[in-house]
Structures are given as C-alpha cells and as structure tokens.
Amino acid sequence: MNNAPEEHESAQQDDETANEAGTAKQEETPKAQDLQRWRLVLGEAAEGALGAATLDGVAQGQDAALEWLYGRDEELQRRGVRRTGRHGGDGPSIVTTVDWLEQITRLFPKETIERLERDAVERYEIHDVVTDPAVLARIEPNETLLRAVLRTKNLMDPDVLLQARRIVEAVVKQLMERLAVDVRRAFTGARSRTSSRFQVAKDFDVRRTLRANLGHYKPQERKVYVEQAYFFSRTRRHVERWQLILLVDQSGSMAGSVIHAAVTAACLWGLPGVRTHLVTFDTAVADLTAEIDDPVEILMKVQLGGGTDIARAVAYGTQLIEQPRRTIVAIISDFYEGGETGQLVRGVRALVEQGTKVLCLAALDEQADPSYDVEMGQRLADVGAGVGAMTPGELAAFVAEHVGR
C-alpha cells in the first residue's frame, strides 16, 4: 500500500512521456513532408542541405518524372542546381514521352499535370507530346495542348493530324459551351423597372422586395420574412444591323487569342442584328468568314508564325464596312507592327473619324493578360481607339451593348 502513490506517479510520468512522444511524432510528420516537398522542388542538388528529406516510393517516382522534364534545362545544369542522367525511384527508367505522361497522370493532381504538359510543349518544345500517335491517343485534351497542335500541325503526317483534330474538337467544344452562356446573357435584353411574373433568380429585384416586406421584419431575430418577392422584367432589344469585324494576328505569340477569336466569332454568328466577319493576318490577309460557323476547321487552317502587317489587315477590314457608325472593328494583336507604323495609325484614325468603334485588343482569352508594344498601343489610343484586353465574354457584352442601342 505504501508503494501505491509512487506507482501512480510513475504511471503518470509514463503517460506524459507517451503523450510527448506522440506529439513529437505528429510534429515530425508535417516537417518531414515539408522537407520532402522542398527536395522535390530543388532536386538532387539539395540533398546535402535537406538530409532528412528521404523520398518515399511515391515521391521517388515524382522526382524521376520531374527530372525527366526539368533535368534538360541547360541553365540549371550550368549552375549545378540539377544533375543530368539521374532517375529516382525503384521502377524502370522513364524513357519515352508516353511513359512520362502515364507517370505524371498517376502521380500528380490535374493542375500539376497541366503545368507539366505546358512546360513540356512550350518551354522545352517536346514536340512528340502532340506529334506521336501513341501520346495523342492517351493525352487528355486541354487548351495548352491545343496551342501546341496549332504550332506543330505542319510537322504531322495525315494520320497523326486526324488524332490531333480530336484535341482541337474537344477543347473548342468546351470553350463554346462556356462562352455560349456569356453570349446568351449579354443578348437576352436589358432589365426594365417593371415587374415580371417569371421568377428568375438573376432578375430578382432586391430593393423592391425588401421595401415591400419591411412590415414583416422581426427585430429580435434581425430577419425580414418575405411574403411577396418581386422580379424585373426584360425588354426585348430593338435590334438594327451591326457589323463586327475581327482582325486577328496569327503570329506565334497570339495562339491563345486566335483560338478564342475563332470560338467567339462562331458563338456570335447568326445572332439577330449582328453580321460577324473573321479575318486572320500575318504579312498577308485571309478572310475566313465563309467558315466562321466551324471554328475547328478554321483552327486547323491557321498558320501561326511569320511576320506581321497590321496596316494591311486594317485596310482590308475597312473595305468590308457597310455602315461606319454601325460597325465594330476589333484588332487582336500584340501590335508589334512589321509594316509601316504610320500607315497603321492613319488607318485606325480614319476608322474612328468616320464613326466606327475600334477596339485594339492585346489579348482575347480567358486570362485577358496582355503583352504588347506599349508605345504603339498609346499611339492608337491617342487617335481614339480603345486599347486593352478582354475576355471573350466581355467582348460579347460590348457588342451586345452597342447592338441594343
């Protein structure tokens, strides 16, 4: 009996020691995971500094996949940040692009896979990602791969081109489905202040509903109980015929905008009151309006690269105009003019002075992240053009706003 307190105290100490050990283990695991992540990011050259970062089986496979791609970076090799000729993991070495794609699909989340694929085709120009039939048969279509197909389709034989078309069709379908929602929203008409019996969430009249139901406010609950909800009605736009002329630079840096311009033109085609033209250009001009309802076919015909003569495209677009004051000309380019800069500025000034709406868009894509000749952009803004970037949905809304006037 005399030993009972000592045994109890000893048991308490054992429990505390066990709890401390458990806590230490819980803290150690996240730390080890963090070290492992840094090891994957920094590569083999960091092993000395991150000695505790032992890679497990999955991480070894990830390391091998990352090294297959980024180990070819000459700058990193020169600085000794990564070593060449190494493959982590216990499995067979990654040799082909097909093997690598299968590995990253198994080892990484979707966002990481898309980044790796983008770096493979755009940074390291691994063309067999989009020119090898075995790769094309396995790969998941996305916009990065579509841009790569447009850049490399001249390298493909007819059989490979048929498989590449699958990527073009799948991505275009996704883009059109997303943009169609924005186009419908833009062209459904303006909301009026009169009530509607159709209870549509986007037309919910918050102010009138609150004002009409203030008598049902419960101070103790700080709530308004709605017995009668009100909704806006929509007036049908009075539509008069407008022209939208899209002049699209098909130089290599504009691939994303070319894709979205083709899709935007197809979505706007056939809308009441809008006649859409699609013209691509480099040093020559190609009018693709006759095929505007088939963006897949248009993209398969686009030839990215070459020089740029924006002034020539503006001159061609000017000839298409029927009613200057009911025309929108959207020039989609990085505005690095290879032709006569003065002629370009004079051409845009003439359009503005005759009452045409001129948009100079340095980007037309979902990011609307422009990269362009700022000096030229300023010169075009000075003569009255709108200069900037838009998403396809914003362009559709701009067109709808002017068509509805």
Side-chain angles (χ1 to χ4, degrees):
M1 295 293 294
N2 292 337
N3 293 333
E6 294 179 4
E7 291 174 356
H8 180 67
E9 183 178 347
S10 176
Q12 277 187 321
Q13 291 175 346
D14 290 343
D15 288 343
E16 290 172 0
T17 301
N19 289 336
E20 290 174 0
T23 303
K25 185 175 182 180
Q26 290 174 354
E27 292 175 353
E28 180 182 4
T29 300
K31 184 178 180 182
Q33 290 176 348
D34 290 341
L35 288 172
Q36 189 165 262
R37 288 193 189 97
W38 277 112
R39 167 62 182 77
L40 289 171
V41 170
L42 298 175
E44 186 180 16
E47 284 183 350
L50 303 173
T54 302
L55 299 178
D56 59 28
V58 173
Q60 288 180 25
Q62 291 174 326
D63 190 44
L66 293 171
E67 182 65 23
W68 183 90
L69 180 61
Y70 297 109
R72 66 191 70 214
D73 193 313
E74 295 179 0
E75 175 63 17
L76 295 180
Q77 293 169 19
R78 184 184 66 78
R79 292 162 50 198
V81 176
R82 285 190 182 275
R83 304 174 193 169
T84 59
R86 179 184 63 82
H87 293 283
D90 299 328
S93 297
I94 302 175
V95 178
T96 69
T97 305
V98 175
D99 296 329
W100 178 72
L101 287 168
E102 289 179 349
Q103 286 274 26
I104 65 172
T105 301
R106 179 172 55 84
L107 294 170
F108 294 102
K110 181 179 179 181
E111 294 79 6
T112 305
I113 293 169
E114 291 181 356
R115 172 58 188 270
L116 293 173
E117 290 174 346
R118 182 168 69 249
D119 283 349
V121 298
E122 296 182 352
R123 183 173 176 181
Y124 299 110
E125 298 183 349
I126 304 174
H127 289 155
D128 59 346
V129 171
V130 287
T131 58
D132 185 330
V135 176
L136 288 170
R138 290 171 170 79
I139 207 160
E140 185 70 23
N142 59 58
E143 194 173 330
T144 294
L145 297 175
L146 173 53
R147 289 196 298 269
V149 166
L150 298 187
R151 291 192 181 99
T152 58
K153 59 182 174 21
N154 60 311
L155 305 175
M156 301 177 185
D157 63 44
D159 292 337
V160 176
L161 201 58
L162 284 175
Q163 289 201 43
R165 191 183 181 99
R166 176 184 69 91
I167 292 176
V168 179
E169 290 173 346
V171 178
V172 166
K173 181 180 179 182
Q174 294 168 7
L175 293 174
M176 288 196 69
E177 287 173 349
R178 291 204 298 269
L179 180 57
V181 175
D182 293 332
V183 172
R184 282 196 299 269
R185 183 183 300 118
F187 281 84
T188 48
R191 294 192 307 189
S192 72
R193 303 308 300 177
T194 59
S195 286
S196 171
R197 60 189 178 85
F198 298 106
Q199 299 185 0
V200 180
K202 65 181 179 181
D203 296 333
F204 181 55
D205 189 340
V206 177
R207 288 188 177 181
R208 186 176 181 189
T209 299
L210 286 175
R211 192 164 52 247
N213 290 276
L214 283 177
H216 308 301
Y217 177 63
K218 305 294 182 184
Q220 63 277 17
E221 300 179 36
R222 303 182 68 180
K223 292 182 180 178
V224 175
Y225 286 86
V226 176
E227 293 190 0
Q228 177 63 54
Y230 292 90
F231 296 82
F232 293 109
S233 66
R234 285 186 177 265
T235 58
R236 192 169 187 83
R237 294 185 185 276
H238 176 65
V239 174
E240 292 189 42
R241 191 177 184 84
W242 275 71
Q243 280 180 283
L244 170 63
I245 301 172
L246 297 173
L247 305 176
V248 187
D249 184 345
Q250 60 179 357
S251 59
S253 61
M254 298 299 295
S257 292
V258 170
I259 293 166
H260 286 87
V263 172
T264 302
C267 287
L268 294 175
W269 178 255
L271 286 174
V274 184
R275 182 182 177 190
T276 306
H277 305 259
L278 179 63
V279 177
T280 61
F281 66 90
D282 39 38
T283 55
V285 174
D287 193 331
L288 302 177
T289 304
E291 298 168 310
I292 201 170
D293 60 340
D294 189 353
V296 173
E297 189 63 31
I298 286 175
L299 293 176
M300 294 303 290
K301 289 183 176 180
V302 164
Q303 298 295 327
L304 295 178
T308 308
D309 192 339
I310 311 172
R312 174 175 290 188
V314 170
Y316 180 85
T318 301
Q319 298 174 5
L320 299 176
I321 296 174
E322 297 169 357
Q323 298 184 59
R325 295 184 178 278
R326 292 202 170 274
T327 302
I328 299 169
V329 175
I331 309 165
I332 302 165
S333 174
D334 56 14
F335 299 103
Y336 288 98
E337 173 65 300
E340 172 55 47
T341 57
Q343 184 179 348
L344 170 59
V345 175
R346 289 192 296 273
V348 170
R349 179 193 287 118
L351 287 174
V352 173
E353 288 177 348
Q354 70 181 13
T356 299
K357 305 290 182 185
V358 181
L359 295 176
C360 295
L361 302 180
L364 180 69
D365 56 36
E366 292 178 341
Q367 284 71 45
D369 185 15
S371 175
Y372 65 104
D373 185 333
V374 176
E375 181 181 350
M376 176 55 70
Q378 185 60 59
R379 291 179 66 183
L380 297 174
D382 290 343
V383 297
V387 178
M390 285 184 176
T391 66
E394 288 168 344
L395 177 58
F398 182 90
V399 174
E401 179 185 352
H402 285 80
V403 169
R405 288 178 179 175

